[in-house]
């Protein structure tokens, strides 16, 4: 079994540098599956595949499997015309949590693709701390004000800056306790 953090971080860099990310659908379940499959192709046998087990974190139960395909169709059709609508769509996709593992890391890339396309902006994740991010996401199914405020404060127009993406990957993995490898030195290992 390959090291999950190292192998999938390398794929995250490749996803950007190869331009593959620009070939994927934006704002749909299919596009999220494409991102997930690419990132986790070396480490999860379920990479890109919608889960068939129920999942919970803390006290929160994500969308039940029996409703998941309907939930995802509804999310695909949610509007993305404003920052608020895009955040709501992101929150709903987190509530759906379509994969057994890797939802956080894949869905943050998916969110940035929507923000780039619709607003010409993306999130500079290096400006958002782990504890504040996770507590805002825990709160988000009930009230999205905290996550909306946090994401808004970290928006940048530097959407073509490779370093914004790389630092973002580093932070995104930090949120998930995967901080052993520096995204800038992966290929020295
Ligand atoms: N209690 C919670 N309620 C709602 N969402 C949560 C909760 N805890 C974590 N999350 C969200 O789930 C993500 C983690 O999902 P997970 O499938 O484990 O992804 P990864 O493997 O990339 O860590 C977090 O980044 C956060 O966005
Ligand atoms: Mg996880």
């Amino acid at each position: 079994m390959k090291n999950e953090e190292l192998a999938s971080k390398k794929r995250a860099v490749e996803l950007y540098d190869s331009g593959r990310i620009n070939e994927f659908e934006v704002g749909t379940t299919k596009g999220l599956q494409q991102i997930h499959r690419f990132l986790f192709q070396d480490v999860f046998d379920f990479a890109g595949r919608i889960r068939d087990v129920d999942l919970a974190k803390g006290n929160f139960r994500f969308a039940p499997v029996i409703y998941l395909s309907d939930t995802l169709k509804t999310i695909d059709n949610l509007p993305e015309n404003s920052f608020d609508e895009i955040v709501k769509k992101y929150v709903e996709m987190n509530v759906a949590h379509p994969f057994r593992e890797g939802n956080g890391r894949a869905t943050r890339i998916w969110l940035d693709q929507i923000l780039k396309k619709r607003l010409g902006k993306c999130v500079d994740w290096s400006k958002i701390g782990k504890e504040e991010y996770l507590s805002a996401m825990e709160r988000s199914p009930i009230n999205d004000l905290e996550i909306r405020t946090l994401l808004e404060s970290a928006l940048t127009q530097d959407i073509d800056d490779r370093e914004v993406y790389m630092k973002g990957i580093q932070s995104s993995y930090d949120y998930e306790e995967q901080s052993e490898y520096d995204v800038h030195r992966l290929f020295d290992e």
Side-chain angles (χ1 to χ4, degrees), residues 105-141:
R105 287 165 285 172
T107 310
R108 285 187 285 277
I109 294 173
W110 180 82
L111 169 64
D112 276 329
Q113 288 302 103
I114 303 173
L115 289 169
K116 283 182 191 181
K117 178 176 170 179
R118 299 293 184 175
L119 306 179
K121 295 180 184 170
C122 67
V123 178
D124 181 348
W125 296 99
S126 70
K127 294 201 174 126
I128 300 180
K130 175 182 171 180
E131 301 309 329
E132 48 182 352
Y133 171 75
L134 287 174
S135 92
M137 286 308 289
E138 269 180 44
R139 176 84 180 138
S140 69

mmCIF file of all heavy atoms in Angstrom, residues 105-141:
data_model
loop_
_atom_site.group_PDB
_atom_site.id
_atom_site.type_symbol
_atom_site.label_atom_id
_atom_site.label_comp_id
_atom_site.label_asym_id
_atom_site.label_seq_id
_atom_site.Cartn_x
_atom_site.Cartn_y
_atom_site.Cartn_z
ATOM 1 N N ARG A 105 -10.668 16.956 0.979
ATOM 2 C CA ARG A 105 -9.613 17.369 0.046
ATOM 3 C C ARG A 105 -10.124 17.522 -1.379
ATOM 4 O O ARG A 105 -9.767 18.474 -2.080
ATOM 5 C CB ARG A 105 -8.453 16.357 0.115
ATOM 6 C CG ARG A 105 -7.652 16.492 1.395
ATOM 7 C CD ARG A 105 -6.755 15.302 1.642
ATOM 8 N NE ARG A 105 -7.523 14.146 2.098
ATOM 9 C CZ ARG A 105 -7.032 12.923 2.240
ATOM 10 N NH1 ARG A 105 -5.774 12.685 1.933
ATOM 11 N NH2 ARG A 105 -7.795 11.945 2.691
ATOM 12 N N ALA A 106 -10.978 16.619 -1.845
ATOM 13 C CA ALA A 106 -11.492 16.713 -3.221
ATOM 14 C C ALA A 106 -12.485 17.870 -3.361
ATOM 15 O O ALA A 106 -12.468 18.602 -4.365
ATOM 16 C CB ALA A 106 -12.157 15.392 -3.618
ATOM 17 N N THR A 107 -13.335 18.065 -2.358
ATOM 18 C CA THR A 107 -14.408 19.060 -2.494
ATOM 19 C C THR A 107 -13.868 20.488 -2.392
ATOM 20 O O THR A 107 -14.433 21.408 -2.986
ATOM 21 C CB THR A 107 -15.539 18.781 -1.481
ATOM 22 O OG1 THR A 107 -15.903 17.400 -1.574
ATOM 23 C CG2 THR A 107 -16.767 19.628 -1.770
ATOM 24 N N ARG A 108 -12.751 20.685 -1.691
ATOM 25 C CA ARG A 108 -12.156 22.039 -1.671
ATOM 26 C C ARG A 108 -11.610 22.422 -3.053
ATOM 27 O O ARG A 108 -11.718 23.587 -3.475
ATOM 28 C CB ARG A 108 -11.090 22.136 -0.572
ATOM 29 C CG ARG A 108 -11.726 22.239 0.824
ATOM 30 C CD ARG A 108 -10.721 22.500 1.913
ATOM 31 N NE ARG A 108 -9.926 21.332 2.266
ATOM 32 C CZ ARG A 108 -10.304 20.366 3.108
ATOM 33 N NH1 ARG A 108 -11.490 20.413 3.687
ATOM 34 N NH2 ARG A 108 -9.499 19.349 3.381
ATOM 35 N N ILE A 109 -11.039 21.448 -3.761
ATOM 36 C CA ILE A 109 -10.591 21.735 -5.132
ATOM 37 C C ILE A 109 -11.799 22.024 -6.031
ATOM 38 O O ILE A 109 -11.789 22.947 -6.857
ATOM 39 C CB ILE A 109 -9.747 20.549 -5.679
ATOM 40 C CG1 ILE A 109 -8.433 20.436 -4.882
ATOM 41 C CG2 ILE A 109 -9.475 20.720 -7.175
ATOM 42 C CD1 ILE A 109 -7.592 19.206 -5.223
ATOM 43 N N TRP A 110 -12.846 21.243 -5.845
ATOM 44 C CA TRP A 110 -14.099 21.421 -6.602
ATOM 45 C C TRP A 110 -14.687 22.815 -6.355
ATOM 46 O O TRP A 110 -15.112 23.497 -7.300
ATOM 47 C CB TRP A 110 -15.059 20.316 -6.159
ATOM 48 C CG TRP A 110 -16.421 20.241 -6.767
ATOM 49 C CD1 TRP A 110 -16.759 19.673 -7.966
ATOM 50 C CD2 TRP A 110 -17.660 20.679 -6.166
ATOM 51 N NE1 TRP A 110 -18.134 19.731 -8.141
ATOM 52 C CE2 TRP A 110 -18.698 20.347 -7.051
ATOM 53 C CE3 TRP A 110 -17.982 21.304 -4.958
ATOM 54 C CZ2 TRP A 110 -20.044 20.633 -6.773
ATOM 55 C CZ3 TRP A 110 -19.320 21.599 -4.693
ATOM 56 C CH2 TRP A 110 -20.341 21.255 -5.598
ATOM 57 N N LEU A 111 -14.699 23.254 -5.108
ATOM 58 C CA LEU A 111 -15.188 24.601 -4.780
ATOM 59 C C LEU A 111 -14.372 25.663 -5.523
ATOM 60 O O LEU A 111 -14.935 26.606 -6.117
ATOM 61 C CB LEU A 111 -15.100 24.841 -3.265
ATOM 62 C CG LEU A 111 -15.319 26.290 -2.803
ATOM 63 C CD1 LEU A 111 -16.738 26.766 -3.112
ATOM 64 C CD2 LEU A 111 -15.033 26.435 -1.303
ATOM 65 N N ASP A 112 -13.058 25.532 -5.503
ATOM 66 C CA ASP A 112 -12.228 26.535 -6.176
ATOM 67 C C ASP A 112 -12.490 26.581 -7.683
ATOM 68 O O ASP A 112 -12.433 27.659 -8.289
ATOM 69 C CB ASP A 112 -10.741 26.262 -5.900
ATOM 70 C CG ASP A 112 -10.299 26.856 -4.564
ATOM 71 O OD1 ASP A 112 -10.859 27.894 -4.159
ATOM 72 O OD2 ASP A 112 -9.387 26.280 -3.930
ATOM 73 N N GLN A 113 -12.782 25.433 -8.276
ATOM 74 C CA GLN A 113 -13.094 25.425 -9.712
ATOM 75 C C GLN A 113 -14.361 26.235 -10.005
ATOM 76 O O GLN A 113 -14.432 26.941 -11.005
ATOM 77 C CB GLN A 113 -13.255 23.983 -10.225
ATOM 78 C CG GLN A 113 -11.953 23.206 -10.309
ATOM 79 C CD GLN A 113 -10.950 23.893 -11.216
ATOM 80 O OE1 GLN A 113 -10.024 24.528 -10.724
ATOM 81 N NE2 GLN A 113 -11.133 23.804 -12.510
ATOM 82 N N ILE A 114 -15.345 26.118 -9.135
ATOM 83 C CA ILE A 114 -16.590 26.888 -9.320
ATOM 84 C C ILE A 114 -16.304 28.384 -9.141
ATOM 85 O O ILE A 114 -16.731 29.213 -9.954
ATOM 86 C CB ILE A 114 -17.686 26.439 -8.325
ATOM 87 C CG1 ILE A 114 -17.967 24.950 -8.446
ATOM 88 C CG2 ILE A 114 -18.981 27.244 -8.553
ATOM 89 C CD1 ILE A 114 -18.936 24.414 -7.368
ATOM 90 N N LEU A 115 -15.582 28.726 -8.085
ATOM 91 C CA LEU A 115 -15.290 30.143 -7.806
ATOM 92 C C LEU A 115 -14.489 30.776 -8.948
ATOM 93 O O LEU A 115 -14.728 31.928 -9.326
ATOM 94 C CB LEU A 115 -14.519 30.271 -6.492
ATOM 95 C CG LEU A 115 -15.324 29.972 -5.208
ATOM 96 C CD1 LEU A 115 -14.380 29.875 -4.012
ATOM 97 C CD2 LEU A 115 -16.381 31.047 -4.965
ATOM 98 N N LYS A 116 -13.538 30.026 -9.495
ATOM 99 C CA LYS A 116 -12.737 30.554 -10.624
ATOM 100 C C LYS A 116 -13.612 30.827 -11.830
ATOM 101 O O LYS A 116 -13.530 31.887 -12.454
ATOM 102 C CB LYS A 116 -11.656 29.531 -11.017
ATOM 103 C CG LYS A 116 -10.477 29.510 -10.079
ATOM 104 C CD LYS A 116 -9.420 28.503 -10.550
ATOM 105 C CE LYS A 116 -8.405 28.320 -9.435
ATOM 106 N NZ LYS A 116 -7.325 27.381 -9.773
ATOM 107 N N LYS A 117 -14.449 29.835 -12.158
ATOM 108 C CA LYS A 117 -15.281 29.950 -13.350
ATOM 109 C C LYS A 117 -16.316 31.061 -13.219
ATOM 110 O O LYS A 117 -16.533 31.841 -14.146
ATOM 111 C CB LYS A 117 -15.987 28.609 -13.606
ATOM 112 C CG LYS A 117 -16.927 28.611 -14.787
ATOM 113 C CD LYS A 117 -17.496 27.216 -15.027
ATOM 114 C CE LYS A 117 -18.623 27.261 -16.059
ATOM 115 N NZ LYS A 117 -19.172 25.912 -16.314
ATOM 116 N N ARG A 118 -16.958 31.140 -12.057
ATOM 117 C CA ARG A 118 -18.091 32.055 -11.908
ATOM 118 C C ARG A 118 -17.690 33.456 -11.481
ATOM 119 O O ARG A 118 -18.344 34.429 -11.856
ATOM 120 C CB ARG A 118 -19.080 31.496 -10.872
ATOM 121 C CG ARG A 118 -19.664 30.159 -11.254
ATOM 122 C CD ARG A 118 -20.563 30.288 -12.462
ATOM 123 N NE ARG A 118 -21.203 29.009 -12.767
ATOM 124 C CZ ARG A 118 -22.114 28.850 -13.713
ATOM 125 N NH1 ARG A 118 -22.506 29.888 -14.453
ATOM 126 N NH2 ARG A 118 -22.623 27.671 -13.936
ATOM 127 N N LEU A 119 -16.630 33.555 -10.645
ATOM 128 C CA LEU A 119 -16.298 34.854 -10.042
ATOM 129 C C LEU A 119 -14.892 35.337 -10.365
ATOM 130 O O LEU A 119 -14.512 36.449 -9.990
ATOM 131 C CB LEU A 119 -16.457 34.791 -8.513
ATOM 132 C CG LEU A 119 -17.809 34.316 -7.952
ATOM 133 C CD1 LEU A 119 -17.761 34.298 -6.434
ATOM 134 C CD2 LEU A 119 -18.965 35.185 -8.442
ATOM 135 N N GLY A 120 -14.080 34.486 -11.012
ATOM 136 C CA GLY A 120 -12.683 34.858 -11.248
ATOM 137 C C GLY A 120 -11.887 34.969 -9.961
ATOM 138 O O GLY A 120 -10.914 35.720 -9.881
ATOM 139 N N LYS A 121 -12.289 34.203 -8.969
ATOM 140 C CA LYS A 121 -11.599 34.196 -7.672
ATOM 141 C C LYS A 121 -11.414 32.757 -7.208
ATOM 142 O O LYS A 121 -12.024 31.833 -7.752
ATOM 143 C CB LYS A 121 -12.420 34.961 -6.624
ATOM 144 C CG LYS A 121 -12.550 36.435 -6.924
ATOM 145 C CD LYS A 121 -13.365 37.145 -5.866
ATOM 146 C CE LYS A 121 -13.543 38.605 -6.263
ATOM 147 N NZ LYS A 121 -14.502 39.295 -5.423
ATOM 148 N N CYS A 122 -10.584 32.577 -6.176
ATOM 149 C CA CYS A 122 -10.517 31.288 -5.500
ATOM 150 C C CYS A 122 -10.155 31.542 -4.046
ATOM 151 O O CYS A 122 -9.887 32.682 -3.660
ATOM 152 C CB CYS A 122 -9.532 30.340 -6.184
ATOM 153 S SG CYS A 122 -7.810 30.837 -6.076
ATOM 154 N N VAL A 123 -10.162 30.470 -3.260
ATOM 155 C CA VAL A 123 -9.831 30.603 -1.837
ATOM 156 C C VAL A 123 -8.323 30.428 -1.664
ATOM 157 O O VAL A 123 -7.734 29.506 -2.222
ATOM 158 C CB VAL A 123 -10.583 29.537 -1.007
ATOM 159 C CG1 VAL A 123 -10.196 29.633 0.465
ATOM 160 C CG2 VAL A 123 -12.086 29.678 -1.187
ATOM 161 N N ASP A 124 -7.721 31.334 -0.908
ATOM 162 C CA ASP A 124 -6.331 31.140 -0.469
ATOM 163 C C ASP A 124 -6.411 30.410 0.877
ATOM 164 O O ASP A 124 -6.525 31.032 1.930
ATOM 165 C CB ASP A 124 -5.622 32.492 -0.331
ATOM 166 C CG ASP A 124 -4.172 32.331 0.096
ATOM 167 O OD1 ASP A 124 -3.790 31.214 0.508
ATOM 168 O OD2 ASP A 124 -3.417 33.321 0.020
ATOM 169 N N TRP A 125 -6.369 29.083 0.803
ATOM 170 C CA TRP A 125 -6.612 28.253 1.994
ATOM 171 C C TRP A 125 -5.544 28.468 3.057
ATOM 172 O O TRP A 125 -5.770 28.178 4.231
ATOM 173 C CB TRP A 125 -6.691 26.775 1.594
ATOM 174 C CG TRP A 125 -7.845 26.481 0.702
ATOM 175 C CD1 TRP A 125 -7.811 26.355 -0.662
ATOM 176 C CD2 TRP A 125 -9.221 26.285 1.084
ATOM 177 N NE1 TRP A 125 -9.081 26.101 -1.153
ATOM 178 C CE2 TRP A 125 -9.952 26.046 -0.110
ATOM 179 C CE3 TRP A 125 -9.897 26.293 2.299
ATOM 180 C CZ2 TRP A 125 -11.329 25.816 -0.105
ATOM 181 C CZ3 TRP A 125 -11.269 26.053 2.311
ATOM 182 C CH2 TRP A 125 -11.976 25.826 1.116
ATOM 183 N N SER A 126 -4.383 28.989 2.636
ATOM 184 C CA SER A 126 -3.318 29.213 3.631
ATOM 185 C C SER A 126 -3.718 30.307 4.623
ATOM 186 O O SER A 126 -3.106 30.455 5.672
ATOM 187 C CB SER A 126 -1.999 29.567 2.941
ATOM 188 O OG SER A 126 -2.065 30.854 2.367
ATOM 189 N N LYS A 127 -4.762 31.061 4.263
ATOM 190 C CA LYS A 127 -5.228 32.122 5.178
ATOM 191 C C LYS A 127 -6.285 31.619 6.163
ATOM 192 O O LYS A 127 -6.792 32.403 6.979
ATOM 193 C CB LYS A 127 -5.830 33.276 4.366
ATOM 194 C CG LYS A 127 -4.805 33.987 3.514
ATOM 195 C CD LYS A 127 -5.295 35.372 3.164
ATOM 196 C CE LYS A 127 -4.240 36.176 2.439
ATOM 197 N NZ LYS A 127 -4.768 36.694 1.150
ATOM 198 N N ILE A 128 -6.647 30.351 6.073
ATOM 199 C CA ILE A 128 -7.685 29.802 6.958
ATOM 200 C C ILE A 128 -7.077 28.718 7.840
ATOM 201 O O ILE A 128 -6.534 27.731 7.337
ATOM 202 C CB ILE A 128 -8.860 29.222 6.129
ATOM 203 C CG1 ILE A 128 -9.499 30.313 5.257
ATOM 204 C CG2 ILE A 128 -9.889 28.581 7.053
ATOM 205 C CD1 ILE A 128 -10.658 29.838 4.402
ATOM 206 N N GLY A 129 -7.167 28.922 9.140
ATOM 207 C CA GLY A 129 -6.600 27.963 10.097
ATOM 208 C C GLY A 129 -7.461 26.719 10.228
ATOM 209 O O GLY A 129 -8.672 26.753 9.989
ATOM 210 N N LYS A 130 -6.817 25.648 10.625
ATOM 211 C CA LYS A 130 -7.481 24.348 10.726
ATOM 212 C C LYS A 130 -8.674 24.348 11.694
ATOM 213 O O LYS A 130 -9.754 23.878 11.353
ATOM 214 C CB LYS A 130 -6.441 23.323 11.188
ATOM 215 C CG LYS A 130 -6.984 21.965 11.449
ATOM 216 C CD LYS A 130 -5.876 21.037 11.939
ATOM 217 C CE LYS A 130 -6.516 19.745 12.396
ATOM 218 N NZ LYS A 130 -5.544 18.790 12.882
ATOM 219 N N GLU A 131 -8.460 24.876 12.894
ATOM 220 C CA GLU A 131 -9.528 24.798 13.903
ATOM 221 C C GLU A 131 -10.733 25.627 13.493
ATOM 222 O O GLU A 131 -11.871 25.197 13.636
ATOM 223 C CB GLU A 131 -9.020 25.265 15.283
ATOM 224 C CG GLU A 131 -7.836 24.474 15.833
ATOM 225 C CD GLU A 131 -8.052 22.955 15.821
ATOM 226 O OE1 GLU A 131 -9.219 22.514 15.971
ATOM 227 O OE2 GLU A 131 -7.062 22.220 15.649
ATOM 228 N N GLU A 132 -10.469 26.838 12.956
ATOM 229 C CA GLU A 132 -11.598 27.700 12.567
ATOM 230 C C GLU A 132 -12.331 27.104 11.369
ATOM 231 O O GLU A 132 -13.562 27.155 11.290
ATOM 232 C CB GLU A 132 -11.141 29.145 12.299
ATOM 233 C CG GLU A 132 -9.948 29.273 11.413
ATOM 234 C CD GLU A 132 -9.474 30.712 11.189
ATOM 235 O OE1 GLU A 132 -10.163 31.659 11.615
ATOM 236 O OE2 GLU A 132 -8.421 30.871 10.545
ATOM 237 N N TYR A 133 -11.575 26.489 10.450
ATOM 238 C CA TYR A 133 -12.224 25.847 9.298
ATOM 239 C C TYR A 133 -13.119 24.704 9.750
ATOM 240 O O TYR A 133 -14.290 24.620 9.375
ATOM 241 C CB TYR A 133 -11.177 25.333 8.291
ATOM 242 C CG TYR A 133 -11.808 24.485 7.226
ATOM 243 C CD1 TYR A 133 -12.552 25.067 6.208
ATOM 244 C CD2 TYR A 133 -11.736 23.097 7.280
ATOM 245 C CE1 TYR A 133 -13.207 24.283 5.267
ATOM 246 C CE2 TYR A 133 -12.374 22.307 6.345
ATOM 247 C CZ TYR A 133 -13.101 22.905 5.336
ATOM 248 O OH TYR A 133 -13.755 22.126 4.415
ATOM 249 N N LEU A 134 -12.558 23.811 10.572
ATOM 250 C CA LEU A 134 -13.326 22.620 10.957
ATOM 251 C C LEU A 134 -14.540 22.983 11.807
ATOM 252 O O LEU A 134 -15.616 22.390 11.645
ATOM 253 C CB LEU A 134 -12.429 21.605 11.662
ATOM 254 C CG LEU A 134 -11.467 20.873 10.709
ATOM 255 C CD1 LEU A 134 -10.508 19.983 11.494
ATOM 256 C CD2 LEU A 134 -12.209 20.052 9.650
ATOM 257 N N SER A 135 -14.393 23.999 12.672
ATOM 258 C CA SER A 135 -15.567 24.342 13.469
ATOM 259 C C SER A 135 -16.635 25.005 12.600
ATOM 260 O O SER A 135 -17.838 24.750 12.787
ATOM 261 C CB SER A 135 -15.173 25.149 14.710
ATOM 262 O OG SER A 135 -15.215 26.515 14.463
ATOM 263 N N ALA A 136 -16.232 25.792 11.627
ATOM 264 C CA ALA A 136 -17.221 26.386 10.707
ATOM 265 C C ALA A 136 -17.920 25.306 9.867
ATOM 266 O O ALA A 136 -19.126 25.400 9.604
ATOM 267 C CB ALA A 136 -16.551 27.417 9.795
ATOM 268 N N MET A 137 -17.185 24.288 9.461
ATOM 269 C CA MET A 137 -17.811 23.200 8.681
ATOM 270 C C MET A 137 -18.744 22.361 9.549
ATOM 271 O O MET A 137 -19.795 21.921 9.084
ATOM 272 C CB MET A 137 -16.737 22.302 8.043
ATOM 273 C CG MET A 137 -16.023 22.933 6.869
ATOM 274 S SD MET A 137 -17.129 23.581 5.591
ATOM 275 C CE MET A 137 -17.761 22.068 4.862
ATOM 276 N N GLU A 138 -18.388 22.168 10.808
ATOM 277 C CA GLU A 138 -19.291 21.440 11.715
ATOM 278 C C GLU A 138 -20.595 22.180 11.894
ATOM 279 O O GLU A 138 -21.660 21.591 11.988
ATOM 280 C CB GLU A 138 -18.625 21.281 13.088
ATOM 281 C CG GLU A 138 -17.841 20.013 13.230
ATOM 282 C CD GLU A 138 -17.204 19.898 14.606
ATOM 283 O OE1 GLU A 138 -17.887 20.192 15.608
ATOM 284 O OE2 GLU A 138 -16.012 19.543 14.650
ATOM 285 N N ARG A 139 -20.502 23.483 11.917
ATOM 286 C CA ARG A 139 -21.670 24.341 12.102
ATOM 287 C C ARG A 139 -22.495 24.461 10.808
ATOM 288 O O ARG A 139 -23.703 24.730 10.854
ATOM 289 C CB ARG A 139 -21.160 25.729 12.533
ATOM 290 C CG ARG A 139 -22.190 26.787 12.678
ATOM 291 C CD ARG A 139 -22.851 26.736 14.041
ATOM 292 N NE ARG A 139 -23.855 27.779 14.146
ATOM 293 C CZ ARG A 139 -25.057 27.606 14.693
ATOM 294 N NH1 ARG A 139 -25.392 26.442 15.214
ATOM 295 N NH2 ARG A 139 -25.916 28.597 14.756
ATOM 296 N N SER A 140 -21.853 24.294 9.676
ATOM 297 C CA SER A 140 -22.439 24.668 8.378
ATOM 298 C C SER A 140 -23.767 23.992 8.023
ATOM 299 O O SER A 140 -24.596 24.632 7.374
ATOM 300 C CB SER A 140 -21.427 24.470 7.240
ATOM 301 O OG SER A 140 -21.169 23.098 7.027
ATOM 302 N N PRO A 141 -24.015 22.738 8.411
ATOM 303 C CA PRO A 141 -25.331 22.178 8.040
ATOM 304 C C PRO A 141 -26.489 22.908 8.711
ATOM 305 O O PRO A 141 -27.618 22.893 8.204
ATOM 306 C CB PRO A 141 -25.250 20.722 8.534
ATOM 307 C CG PRO A 141 -23.789 20.425 8.624
ATOM 308 C CD PRO A 141 -23.144 21.733 9.037
#
